Amino acid sequence: MADRVSIPIFPVYPSLIAISFVIGWFIPGFYDWTGSDQSRASPLVAQTAIGLLVGAILIWIVLPWLPIAAGATTDKLPRPRFTSRTLLLVTAGIAIGVAVATRFPMVVSGLLCAMVFGYAIWFSIRSSRHRWPTAALLACMIGPYVWIVFHDELESLFPAILWMAAGLPAFLPAALLSSLWGHNLHEVTWLSVLLTAVELAIGIWLIRLGPRRTIAYLVLVLLMSTIGSFGLNALVRA
């Protein structure tokens, strides 16, 4: 019996990068094409969102059956060694972090986000085989929001857009959580920044585990960013 031919993974990541930025470029045009306005969203919006969700689910269902080499990007991570001193330092660090976070949540969230982005850059530089997956992860997070750069009223969004930039990839989950907590998203901007750091950290972790998990997660991230970007575009028009 002939061996199955493995599907090359490399073209997947550039394709996701291209798709992410194409989506971001066409979101304002799609909003206009659907005929949506500030008071009423076109039924096509909900139908498109459902179509994207169904497409993502189909990819997740098919992905485990594709002949992809599971160990193509897997790292053997060293086992961490914990001592009583290390545990004490970690506990003290967490206690101090929680105390500072309650008083300066935006500062703490911003620092954490910057640290994770810095680690992602170091991670991709350190391992050449992880550069394309990492680039695809960042593109799926940021690409759908590229329309903001070309927005007609970009200057009017300053300086708020500068604070929002770090939290844009997690705009959708942050909006949902803030709504559940009964807060306005503007009141908890730090939450979107913190969730962006978490989203990126999870992505880097999954990249180390292999291409199947990576692709599945990239599809999820792209879906969240696309829906969040469209929602933000609607809010900016209001």
mmCIF file of all heavy atoms in Angstrom, residues 46-63 219 223 227:
data_model
loop_
_atom_site.group_PDB
_atom_site.id
_atom_site.type_symbol
_atom_site.label_atom_id
_atom_site.label_comp_id
_atom_site.label_asym_id
_atom_site.label_seq_id
_atom_site.Cartn_x
_atom_site.Cartn_y
_atom_site.Cartn_z
ATOM 1 N N ALA A 46 -25.679 39.097 9.370
ATOM 2 C CA ALA A 46 -25.847 37.894 10.187
ATOM 3 C C ALA A 46 -25.609 36.638 9.360
ATOM 4 O O ALA A 46 -24.990 35.676 9.834
ATOM 5 C CB ALA A 46 -27.240 37.875 10.808
ATOM 6 N N GLN A 47 -26.096 36.655 8.119
ATOM 7 C CA GLN A 47 -25.913 35.489 7.253
ATOM 8 C C GLN A 47 -24.432 35.249 6.960
ATOM 9 O O GLN A 47 -23.960 34.100 6.942
ATOM 10 C CB GLN A 47 -26.693 35.690 5.955
ATOM 11 C CG GLN A 47 -28.200 35.726 6.142
ATOM 12 C CD GLN A 47 -28.936 36.141 4.875
ATOM 13 O OE1 GLN A 47 -28.342 36.269 3.802
ATOM 14 N NE2 GLN A 47 -30.237 36.371 4.994
ATOM 15 N N THR A 48 -23.695 36.331 6.741
ATOM 16 C CA THR A 48 -22.261 36.197 6.481
ATOM 17 C C THR A 48 -21.526 35.684 7.709
ATOM 18 O O THR A 48 -20.632 34.832 7.609
ATOM 19 C CB THR A 48 -21.662 37.546 6.054
ATOM 20 O OG1 THR A 48 -22.347 38.026 4.885
ATOM 21 C CG2 THR A 48 -20.187 37.427 5.757
ATOM 22 N N ALA A 49 -21.902 36.190 8.883
ATOM 23 C CA ALA A 49 -21.276 35.735 10.129
ATOM 24 C C ALA A 49 -21.527 34.239 10.335
ATOM 25 O O ALA A 49 -20.620 33.493 10.721
ATOM 26 C CB ALA A 49 -21.804 36.531 11.306
ATOM 27 N N ILE A 50 -22.746 33.803 10.073
ATOM 28 C CA ILE A 50 -23.072 32.380 10.209
ATOM 29 C C ILE A 50 -22.276 31.561 9.197
ATOM 30 O O ILE A 50 -21.770 30.480 9.505
ATOM 31 C CB ILE A 50 -24.588 32.160 10.015
ATOM 32 C CG1 ILE A 50 -25.362 32.807 11.165
ATOM 33 C CG2 ILE A 50 -24.909 30.669 9.938
ATOM 34 C CD1 ILE A 50 -26.864 32.770 10.989
ATOM 35 N N GLY A 51 -22.163 32.081 7.968
ATOM 36 C CA GLY A 51 -21.385 31.390 6.940
ATOM 37 C C GLY A 51 -19.926 31.238 7.333
ATOM 38 O O GLY A 51 -19.324 30.176 7.132
ATOM 39 N N LEU A 52 -19.348 32.296 7.916
ATOM 40 C CA LEU A 52 -17.963 32.220 8.370
ATOM 41 C C LEU A 52 -17.802 31.199 9.488
ATOM 42 O O LEU A 52 -16.829 30.428 9.511
ATOM 43 C CB LEU A 52 -17.499 33.597 8.862
ATOM 44 C CG LEU A 52 -17.345 34.686 7.799
ATOM 45 C CD1 LEU A 52 -17.034 36.029 8.453
ATOM 46 C CD2 LEU A 52 -16.247 34.320 6.813
ATOM 47 N N LEU A 53 -18.771 31.168 10.402
ATOM 48 C CA LEU A 53 -18.710 30.208 11.499
ATOM 49 C C LEU A 53 -18.822 28.784 10.987
ATOM 50 O O LEU A 53 -18.075 27.896 11.417
ATOM 51 C CB LEU A 53 -19.830 30.505 12.501
ATOM 52 C CG LEU A 53 -19.930 29.558 13.699
ATOM 53 C CD1 LEU A 53 -18.638 29.572 14.498
ATOM 54 C CD2 LEU A 53 -21.122 29.933 14.576
ATOM 55 N N VAL A 54 -19.747 28.551 10.056
ATOM 56 C CA VAL A 54 -19.904 27.214 9.482
ATOM 57 C C VAL A 54 -18.629 26.798 8.748
ATOM 58 O O VAL A 54 -18.169 25.651 8.863
ATOM 59 C CB VAL A 54 -21.112 27.176 8.525
ATOM 60 C CG1 VAL A 54 -21.156 25.865 7.749
ATOM 61 C CG2 VAL A 54 -22.409 27.353 9.310
ATOM 62 N N GLY A 55 -18.044 27.726 7.990
ATOM 63 C CA GLY A 55 -16.799 27.430 7.280
ATOM 64 C C GLY A 55 -15.677 27.062 8.236
ATOM 65 O O GLY A 55 -14.910 26.128 7.990
ATOM 66 N N ALA A 56 -15.580 27.801 9.365
ATOM 67 C CA ALA A 56 -14.547 27.498 10.357
ATOM 68 C C ALA A 56 -14.771 26.120 10.967
ATOM 69 O O ALA A 56 -13.818 25.344 11.154
ATOM 70 C CB ALA A 56 -14.549 28.569 11.448
ATOM 71 N N ILE A 57 -16.018 25.802 11.274
ATOM 72 C CA ILE A 57 -16.336 24.486 11.855
ATOM 73 C C ILE A 57 -15.974 23.369 10.890
ATOM 74 O O ILE A 57 -15.431 22.328 11.296
ATOM 75 C CB ILE A 57 -17.829 24.423 12.246
ATOM 76 C CG1 ILE A 57 -18.107 25.377 13.403
ATOM 77 C CG2 ILE A 57 -18.225 22.996 12.619
ATOM 78 C CD1 ILE A 57 -19.573 25.495 13.767
ATOM 79 N N LEU A 58 -16.261 23.569 9.610
ATOM 80 C CA LEU A 58 -15.910 22.550 8.608
ATOM 81 C C LEU A 58 -14.397 22.344 8.546
ATOM 82 O O LEU A 58 -13.922 21.206 8.424
ATOM 83 C CB LEU A 58 -16.444 22.961 7.234
ATOM 84 C CG LEU A 58 -17.975 22.903 7.061
ATOM 85 C CD1 LEU A 58 -18.372 23.427 5.690
ATOM 86 C CD2 LEU A 58 -18.484 21.481 7.259
ATOM 87 N N ILE A 59 -13.644 23.432 8.630
ATOM 88 C CA ILE A 59 -12.184 23.313 8.622
ATOM 89 C C ILE A 59 -11.718 22.528 9.842
ATOM 90 O O ILE A 59 -10.845 21.650 9.754
ATOM 91 C CB ILE A 59 -11.525 24.703 8.587
ATOM 92 C CG1 ILE A 59 -11.801 25.379 7.241
ATOM 93 C CG2 ILE A 59 -10.015 24.599 8.813
ATOM 94 C CD1 ILE A 59 -11.306 26.806 7.150
ATOM 95 N N TRP A 60 -12.299 22.823 11.002
ATOM 96 C CA TRP A 60 -11.912 22.115 12.223
ATOM 97 C C TRP A 60 -12.262 20.630 12.151
ATOM 98 O O TRP A 60 -11.541 19.797 12.685
ATOM 99 C CB TRP A 60 -12.601 22.751 13.429
ATOM 100 C CG TRP A 60 -12.139 24.149 13.705
ATOM 101 C CD1 TRP A 60 -10.901 24.670 13.460
ATOM 102 C CD2 TRP A 60 -12.908 25.217 14.272
ATOM 103 N NE1 TRP A 60 -10.844 25.987 13.833
ATOM 104 C CE2 TRP A 60 -12.053 26.361 14.336
ATOM 105 C CE3 TRP A 60 -14.218 25.335 14.723
ATOM 106 C CZ2 TRP A 60 -12.486 27.581 14.843
ATOM 107 C CZ3 TRP A 60 -14.645 26.546 15.244
ATOM 108 C CH2 TRP A 60 -13.798 27.661 15.294
ATOM 109 N N ILE A 61 -13.364 20.313 11.475
ATOM 110 C CA ILE A 61 -13.760 18.908 11.346
ATOM 111 C C ILE A 61 -12.824 18.161 10.407
ATOM 112 O O ILE A 61 -12.420 17.021 10.678
ATOM 113 C CB ILE A 61 -15.222 18.817 10.843
ATOM 114 C CG1 ILE A 61 -16.192 19.329 11.925
ATOM 115 C CG2 ILE A 61 -15.570 17.376 10.470
ATOM 116 C CD1 ILE A 61 -17.633 19.401 11.454
ATOM 117 N N VAL A 62 -12.465 18.802 9.311
ATOM 118 C CA VAL A 62 -11.643 18.141 8.289
ATOM 119 C C VAL A 62 -10.168 18.081 8.698
ATOM 120 O O VAL A 62 -9.453 17.135 8.349
ATOM 121 C CB VAL A 62 -11.791 18.884 6.941
ATOM 122 C CG1 VAL A 62 -10.810 18.344 5.905
ATOM 123 C CG2 VAL A 62 -13.223 18.763 6.433
ATOM 124 N N LEU A 63 -9.714 19.067 9.456
ATOM 125 C CA LEU A 63 -8.292 19.207 9.769
ATOM 126 C C LEU A 63 -7.652 17.940 10.360
ATOM 127 O O LEU A 63 -6.550 17.565 9.947
ATOM 128 C CB LEU A 63 -8.094 20.395 10.711
ATOM 129 C CG LEU A 63 -6.653 20.888 10.911
ATOM 130 C CD1 LEU A 63 -6.020 21.263 9.576
ATOM 131 C CD2 LEU A 63 -6.643 22.089 11.858
ATOM 132 N N VAL A 219 -7.515 29.846 12.496
ATOM 133 C CA VAL A 219 -8.865 30.017 11.950
ATOM 134 C C VAL A 219 -9.770 30.677 12.986
ATOM 135 O O VAL A 219 -10.555 31.581 12.665
ATOM 136 C CB VAL A 219 -9.439 28.655 11.510
ATOM 137 C CG1 VAL A 219 -10.922 28.783 11.137
ATOM 138 C CG2 VAL A 219 -8.649 28.098 10.327
ATOM 139 N N LEU A 223 -11.414 34.409 12.659
ATOM 140 C CA LEU A 223 -12.861 34.564 12.766
ATOM 141 C C LEU A 223 -13.216 35.639 13.791
ATOM 142 O O LEU A 223 -14.051 36.516 13.521
ATOM 143 C CB LEU A 223 -13.488 33.221 13.162
ATOM 144 C CG LEU A 223 -15.007 33.205 13.350
ATOM 145 C CD1 LEU A 223 -15.714 33.494 12.031
ATOM 146 C CD2 LEU A 223 -15.457 31.857 13.906
ATOM 147 N N ILE A 227 -15.044 39.355 12.812
ATOM 148 C CA ILE A 227 -16.321 39.797 13.382
ATOM 149 C C ILE A 227 -16.123 41.045 14.236
ATOM 150 O O ILE A 227 -16.912 41.993 14.188
ATOM 151 C CB ILE A 227 -16.959 38.665 14.213
ATOM 152 C CG1 ILE A 227 -17.294 37.478 13.301
ATOM 153 C CG2 ILE A 227 -18.219 39.152 14.910
ATOM 154 C CD1 ILE A 227 -17.824 36.263 14.028
#
